[in-house]
Amino acid sequence: MPCHPIFRQNFRPSLLFKKRKLFFSLRFPVPLKIHVSLSRQDNETHKNLLSVQIHHKTSMANLKAGTRPPWVGLGAAVWVQIASGNAYNFPLYSHSLKSVLGFNQHQLTMLGVANDIGENVGLLPGIACNKFPPWVILLIGSFACILGYGVLWLAVSKTVLYLPYWLLWLALCVATNSSAWLSTAVLVTNMRNFPVSRGTVAGILKGYAGLSAAVFTEIYSTILRKSSANLLMFLSFGVPILCFVMMYFVRPCTPAFGEDSTEHGHFLFIQVASVVLGLYVLTTTILDPIFHFSAEVSYAILVGMVVLLMAPLAIPVKMTFCPLRINRPEIRNQEVASSDETLQGEGNADKTEPLLKSSESSTYLGSFREGDEASEVAMLLAVGEGAVKKKRRPKRGEDFKFTEAIIKADFWLLFLVYFTGVGSGVTVLNNLAQIGIAQGIHSTTILLSLFSFCNFIGRLGGGVVSEHFVRSKTVPRTLWMTCTQIIMVITYLLFASAISGTLYAATALLGICYGVQFSIMIPTVSELFGLKHFGIFYNFMSLGNPLGAFLFSGLLAGYIYDNEAAKQHGLGLITSSISCIGPNCFRLTFLILAGICGVGSVASIILTKRIWPVYQMLYGGGSFRLPQTSTR
């Protein structure tokens, strides 16, 4: 059971174990009374404890669990998540990089690798989120955006001529690394603000991140008039300005562990609003080239999109004007004595006190090892400073340190499954423009919007579906990674066949399966290894994305594409900016990606079987139970 640091500093083991009944009182959630004789020194310690506890509860009263501030932060996080999707815009300006700067496909795919490395290498943000408040993380991400995209804008707009390739590669890394800072800040903060709804929150936030490409495409087509230079300028200044505005609202709040009848409705409202937004953006993007909207209509469509993006903020507004009192069960380690009990305690050195009160929150704070007496005693001894020399290693579901997690087989199995899923998917995303051109589709905005919308559906749906089945059937979330990777095998074979009319269907299927990988990995890693160091674990898992982009996109797809282009246009032209036409440009790449996802499916089955007992302990009662050592 987690405790306030004052326990470790002032409680001596002799006081904790003067009566062995203390151990049993901590195991059974019933009112028990223990007669403890307190010396003068122990009585002073007891008074200090009570005063600290009362001060702690008074400070917590200013920010109650489940009230308006967490929902304000979630609404603001939606906007930041849209901004953090700036890395998904690479297909919108990649063709300009190739034509204006004269790069070949291999050089372009290596820039795509830089795009993915910057987006997903977030170990520094993961460490920083445990040391600094969210606004500091957002500030760093904003400055990275200004610096990186600013250099790219100077090159594409030809404001500065002859920038070296290595500088553009590095600038793209810095620019897209802003995504890691922005996403880590809002994801870690909101996962901790809503710890018993991790799957739902992860699905919502990553869903909006997946939808960001469609939002940026709408802005690119409407305001920026499909100019790559204007898009890079917008990313250089528009995204940082948005983050500066949202810094105040993204902040940690006291988490709510109790049941809240309104919470489900609020989450459902956000999910419905996000689906409506996705359909709205996809429909207008498809209809624009057909009806050729006027400038006035285009701006009206843009205003409608902004209104839909503001929908999550309707929840805190409604809670402000229509407050609803909710009686929540108190968490045991936050319960404190009243001021009257404190005064009585000061006058009695020898007294009988209730050690624990009956609480419904025992459902959430129950131990996984109630039959393991030795583990309980070891944990209690650790409360006293210096009471034990060797600390018990955490078990799955508890808070792990990074060094403790990386020696676990489940950690690497999850990484392998995620790597095969997103690594293969990002290969298609980075080469989507060239895949479309190879099959005779020269406008990539519809393809990108379709992939973005289906990616959003996969992220949102993966969180909702996995949350439902994990609570009702205790089914591990990774089962859905298995299902989607099997579908990805079929999808890559469909891409390889290049059958007329199947490109849009294959792109939509891949977008859904690609999105599911994100929404499943995030809550799974938090459930297996805890929330305390979640930022580091999440960002380490995210390394599977750039690693896959480097291996499958940079080395594999780019090399095969350039070789096929050389065959079509003559040997010796592989270094020039030429295009490859026909299904052979990517056929071998798709066949290899299908085999890779087959390996990921097998690894996912093994992982699901291994962690099934963990989910039975976490969700055996129909709702999430926090492990005994889980802390924030």
Side-chain angles (χ1 to χ4, degrees):
M1 179 171 131
C3 62
H4 196 279
I6 192 69
F7 280 89
R8 293 192 293 270
Q9 296 172 3
N10 294 337
F11 258 15
R12 295 180 294 122
S14 59
L15 176 60
L16 283 175
F17 293 99
K18 279 192 175 182
K19 294 293 182 181
R20 181 168 171 76
K21 291 181 181 178
L22 176 62
F23 168 71
F24 295 99
S25 67
L26 288 175
R27 292 190 56 191
F28 295 97
V30 294
L32 293 177
K33 292 188 177 182
I34 305 295
H35 184 80
V36 182
S37 298
L38 301 175
S39 64
R40 176 172 297 180
Q41 180 181 356
D42 293 336
N43 190 41
E44 291 298 321
T45 299
H46 181 68
K47 288 190 290 183
N48 291 337
L49 277 170
L50 290 174
S51 63
V52 169
Q53 285 180 325
I54 291 173
H55 172 74
H56 178 64
K57 188 169 186 178
T58 303
S59 63
M60 300 279 278
N62 296 327
L63 193 60
K64 296 181 180 179
T67 53
R68 185 167 55 91
W71 294 99
V72 172
L74 185 61
V78 164
W79 285 79
V80 178
Q81 278 294 96
I82 292 291
S84 73
N86 59 76
Y88 292 116
N89 293 308
F90 183 71
L92 292 178
Y93 60 84
S94 62
H95 191 67
S96 294
L97 291 174
K98 187 174 183 179
S99 59
V100 174
L101 304 178
F103 296 149
N104 61 35
Q105 186 63 23
H106 180 69
Q107 290 175 312
L108 188 64
T109 52
M110 290 308 296
L111 285 176
V113 171
N115 183 84
D116 295 306
I117 289 175
E119 178 190 4
N120 295 282
V121 176
L123 292 180
L124 283 179
I127 296 172
C129 70
N130 278 356
K131 300 179 180 295
F132 301 102
W135 69 267
V136 175
I137 312 301
L138 293 176
L139 186 65
I140 296 173
S142 300
F143 282 119
C145 212
I146 295 172
L147 180 62
Y149 284 117
V151 172
L152 292 175
W153 171 73
L154 292 175
V156 173
S157 64
K158 295 186 177 181
T159 304
V160 176
L161 299 177
Y162 308 117
L163 287 176
Y165 179 82
W166 66 266
L167 180 60
L168 295 176
W169 195 94
L170 185 61
L172 190 55
C173 276
V174 173
T176 55
N177 191 241
S178 64
S179 299
W181 290 91
L182 303 182
S183 181
T184 297
V186 297
L187 187 62
V188 172
T189 302
N190 282 277
M191 290 280 283
R192 290 173 176 173
N193 287 350
F194 299 95
V196 295
S197 302
R198 305 180 190 188
T200 303
V201 171
I204 289 173
L205 292 181
K206 298 310 290 185
Y208 273 102
L211 195 59
S212 61
V215 173
F216 278 114
T217 301
E218 187 74 32
I219 297 172
Y220 172 75
S221 301
T222 304
I223 300 178
L224 307 177
R225 297 301 175 187
K226 299 184 179 181
S227 168
S228 297
N230 290 341
L231 174 63
L232 290 170
M233 178 184 285
F234 177 79
L235 294 175
S236 301
F237 300 103
V239 170
I241 290 173
L242 174 64
C243 293
F244 291 151
V245 174
M246 295 299 167
M247 279 180 189
Y248 174 76
F249 302 103
V250 179
R251 57 186 179 181
C253 303
T254 307
F257 292 103
E259 296 291 342
D260 184 351
S261 59
T262 64
E263 186 174 274
H264 175 73
H266 292 159
F267 282 132
L268 183 61
F269 172 78
I270 297 177
Q271 290 161 353
V272 171
S274 63
V275 171
V276 172
L277 172 64
L279 289 172
Y280 177 83
V281 174
L282 179 65
T283 303
T284 54
T285 303
I286 294 174
L287 293 180
D288 186 22
I290 298 175
F291 296 101
H292 303 287
F293 295 140
S294 63
E296 293 77 10
V297 174
S298 297
Y299 282 110
I301 291 173
L302 188 64
V303 170
M305 184 184 73
V306 172
V307 171
L308 288 173
L309 279 171
M310 297 178 65
L313 294 174
I315 294 174
V317 171
K318 170 249 182 184
M319 296 177 73
T320 301
F321 290 100
C322 304
L324 179 64
R325 293 183 176 274
I326 300 174
N327 294 323
R328 293 182 178 274
E330 292 287 342
I331 301 172
R332 279 188 226 164
N333 64 340
Q334 290 180 355
E335 288 185 351
V336 296
S338 65
S339 58
D340 293 336
E341 292 171 339
T342 306
L343 292 175
Q344 293 174 3
E346 292 179 358
N348 297 326
D350 209 70
K351 65 177 290 185
T352 300
E353 287 188 36
L355 186 63
L356 287 177
K357 298 180 181 180
S358 179
S359 173
E360 296 177 12
S361 64
S362 61
T363 303
Y364 302 100
L365 300 176
S367 171
F368 292 157
R369 301 162 303 280
E370 291 185 352
D372 191 351
E373 182 171 322
S375 297
E376 297 278 2
V377 173
M379 185 201 68
L380 290 174
L381 284 172
V383 173
E385 185 178 0
V388 291
K389 295 181 180 180
K390 187 175 181 180
K391 185 179 178 181
R392 179 182 65 81
R393 289 182 177 180
K395 295 184 180 180
R396 291 177 298 183
E398 299 177 348
D399 286 323
F400 279 72
K401 295 180 180 178
F402 183 72
T403 53
E404 295 169 334
I406 59 175
I407 62 174
K408 296 296 182 181
D410 294 337
F411 184 87
W412 291 107
L413 278 172
L414 182 60
F415 180 82
L416 175 62
V417 174
Y418 183 72
F419 160 71
T420 56
V422 300
S424 60
V426 77
T427 300
V428 177
L429 179 61
N430 286 348
N431 295 277
L432 196 57
Q434 288 70 40
I435 292 171
I437 292 172
Q439 298 194 27
I441 299 175
H442 295 279
S443 177
T444 58
T445 54
I446 295 178
L447 273 178
L448 182 59
S449 294
L450 181 63
F451 184 92
S452 175
F453 175 74
C454 293
N455 181 22
F456 155 72
I457 291 296
R459 296 183 184 210
L460 183 65
V464 173
V465 172
S466 67
E467 192 76 13
H468 170 74
F469 280 94
V470 79
R471 290 179 180 272
S472 61
K473 306 292 183 181
T474 65
V475 174
R477 301 182 194 271
T478 50
L479 179 66
W480 306 107
M481 298 181 84
T482 306
C483 297
T484 52
Q485 292 213 19
I486 292 173
I487 297 174
M488 289 175 80
V489 173
I490 300 172
T491 303
Y492 290 133
L493 295 177
L494 191 61
F495 271 114
S497 68
I499 299 174
S500 178
T502 60
L503 180 59
Y504 291 106
T507 302
L509 276 175
L510 183 64
I512 293 173
C513 297
Y514 180 73
V516 169
Q517 310 302 311
F518 288 89
S519 62
I520 297 299
M521 180 275 288
I522 293 171
T524 299
V525 75
S526 74
E527 287 162 342
L528 293 181
F529 304 108
L531 280 173
K532 186 174 183 180
H533 301 285
F534 167 71
I536 300 176
F537 296 138
Y538 158 68
N539 282 291
F540 184 87
M541 289 289 172
S542 296
L543 292 176
N545 196 308
L547 181 60
F550 174 73
L551 295 176
F552 307 144
S553 181
L555 299 184
L556 177 66
Y559 177 78
I560 294 174
Y561 181 95
D562 282 337
N563 276 343
E564 186 62 31
K567 291 178 184 178
Q568 292 181 5
H569 297 274
L571 296 175
L573 296 177
I574 194 170
T575 57
S576 61
S577 55
I578 57 177
S579 296
C580 178
I581 305 297
N584 289 333
C585 301
F586 290 97
R587 176 168 287 160
L588 181 58
T589 300
F590 288 132
L591 292 176
I592 295 174
L593 294 181
I596 290 169
C597 276
V599 174
S601 302
V602 174
S604 182
I605 292 173
I606 297 172
L607 176 62
T608 301
K609 185 176 180 181
R610 285 176 56 90
I611 64 176
W612 204 296
V614 180
Y615 277 84
Q616 289 178 333
M617 289 186 290
L618 285 171
Y619 292 95
S623 58
F624 183 75
R625 298 190 307 162
L626 284 176
Q628 191 170 9
T629 61
S630 180
T631 59
R632 289 185 63 217

